[in-house]
Amino acid sequence: MLESQINKFLSLPELKFTNKRNLTNHIIQFDAYKFSEFEVCPKCATKSTKVHDQVYVHIKDVPIRDKTVYLRIRKRRFRCPNCNAVFREPVPGIRKGFRSTQRFRSHIRWCASNFTDLKRVTEKLRCSSWLVYKAFYEQLALDVKKLDYSRPKTIGIDEHSFVRNTKTHFKEFATVFVDFNNNRIREVTLGRSFDDLINSRAVDIQGRENVKNVVIDMSSTYKKFVAKQFPNALITSDKFHVVKLFNHAVNKIRIEIMKHPVFEKSKTSPMRRLYLTRDDRLNFSQRSIVRHINGLFPELEEIYKFKERMLSIYNIRGFKRARKAFTKLTDEMALSGRKAVQSLRKTLVKWQVEILNYFKSGITNAKTEGYNRKAKLIQRKAYGYRNFENYRLRLIYDCR
């Protein structure tokens, strides 16, 4: 009766448990052995019933009520009648050469996912940090393979900084591919150059020909990669990055204007916040201040009006109406004699198709930016990663 209860509790049906001992107040040991009429040789797949000798192995299992559990298993060694090789009988749930059950290694993954750091896991499970580190990422790799990758229709691509946990703190970049339909990160790649992307796992995404929309920032590298790997996708330039171009141009002129004697007595100026806020969101007094400053500095007034025109275009409904307004904006910018305006217009003309595709798809890269934020939190929580593959597994699993 006791043996059947132990078998049911430990979920190892091929083992027969003979004894239970309390080695210390915190360690429990179960004695067991495997019973079978024959075993199959792993080399030539021949049945063998001849027992050569037997050995005892100690396997660590999942703790019971915070008590460490060890399995003392008696294993027989068989001699193959065909190839004369000696092999040890296998036990399901315990991989060859491992000193812990697969269930225990899965339990490490659960603890590492819910505890604040791996050091607390080692203290809780009373095992080495090497085992926790090895088993955790080993289980993550298995869990990532089990994820159901349905064919995405909309993908967002963006990069974020990746800092290795070394003394130099060398800064690299990681590119994420976000599946908008299933709300998860599909793939992560080290680097953001075309060669890095084309040689990564991103090219192995199943159903690439079925992807209808891809959202990117204004990067020629991403544009070239998407055109090659997602031939049937509509490329959309992210709305935030388009507005960011105008804000950067406005901010650059504003910094130069702050050196004017008019602002010498002002210790703090609200100009930056006022000029980055949409005009229709300013109150009457704030709008009056902006118009007064614009009257003093024509160059700032010109680029500010173009920024507001671009924001108003994004409020237009309908592709044809938006294209007409966008063309009118670039034509007016062409008449300007200022270098900053001409440089901005050149970029808009280059990305005209991708910018206007927003009015067809209506999607932005906000979801991808949100996952980038989560990626930085994962890095900060782990104090950086030395191994990018481990970082990739953690990010895909946590953002599934």
Side-chain angles (χ1 to χ4, degrees), residues 183-248:
N183 295 324
R184 66 187 179 195
I185 291 182
R186 184 63 179 269
E187 192 54 70
V188 187
T189 300
L190 180 61
R192 55 179 179 177
S193 66
F194 181 78
D195 292 336
D196 293 334
L197 298 176
I198 208 68
N199 295 323
S200 66
R201 293 185 178 91
V203 299
D204 298 328
I205 295 178
Q206 297 180 359
R208 290 184 288 109
E209 64 281 355
N210 298 322
V211 175
K212 297 181 179 180
N213 296 293
V214 177
V215 190
I216 61 174
D217 56 11
M218 304 179 77
S219 169
S220 300
T221 301
Y222 290 159
K223 182 179 177 180
K224 180 181 178 182
F225 174 77
V226 172
K228 183 174 182 179
Q229 296 299 320
F230 304 96
N232 301 323
L234 185 72
I235 305 176
T236 303
S237 181
D238 184 34
K239 172 184 174 181
F240 169 79
H241 290 87
V242 177
V243 177
K244 186 179 178 181
L245 284 176
F246 287 88
N247 288 335
H248 178 72

Side-chain angles (χ1 to χ4, degrees), residues 22 24 44 100 111 138 213 220 268 276 349 384 393 396:
N22 294 325
T24 65
C44 61
S100 57
C111 292
E138 172 190 277
N213 296 293
S220 300
T268 59
L276 294 182
V349 172
L393 293 173
I396 294 177

Side-chain angles (χ1 to χ4, degrees), residues 70 77 89 143 171 265 295 360 394:
Y70 283 98
R77 296 177 61 192
E89 60 182 345
D143 291 339
K171 190 175 184 179
K265 297 181 180 180
K360 293 181 179 179
R394 186 65 183 266

Side-chain angles (χ1 to χ4, degrees), residues 18 24 33-34 53 94 161 258 274 328 342-343 355 379:
T18 59
T24 65
Y33 67 94
K34 181 183 177 183
D53 60 4
I94 304 173
S161 60
M258 288 297 296
L274 292 177
K328 186 177 180 181
Q342 293 301 323
S343 177
I355 293 173
Q379 291 185 46

Side-chain angles (χ1 to χ4, degrees), residues 38-50 78-85 87:
F38 64 89
E39 292 294 338
V40 178
C41 176
K43 291 185 178 180
C44 61
T46 303
K47 290 183 179 181
S48 176
T49 57
K50 184 178 180 181
F78 289 82
R79 182 175 293 277
C80 179
N82 183 29
C83 62
N84 204 34
F87 61 94

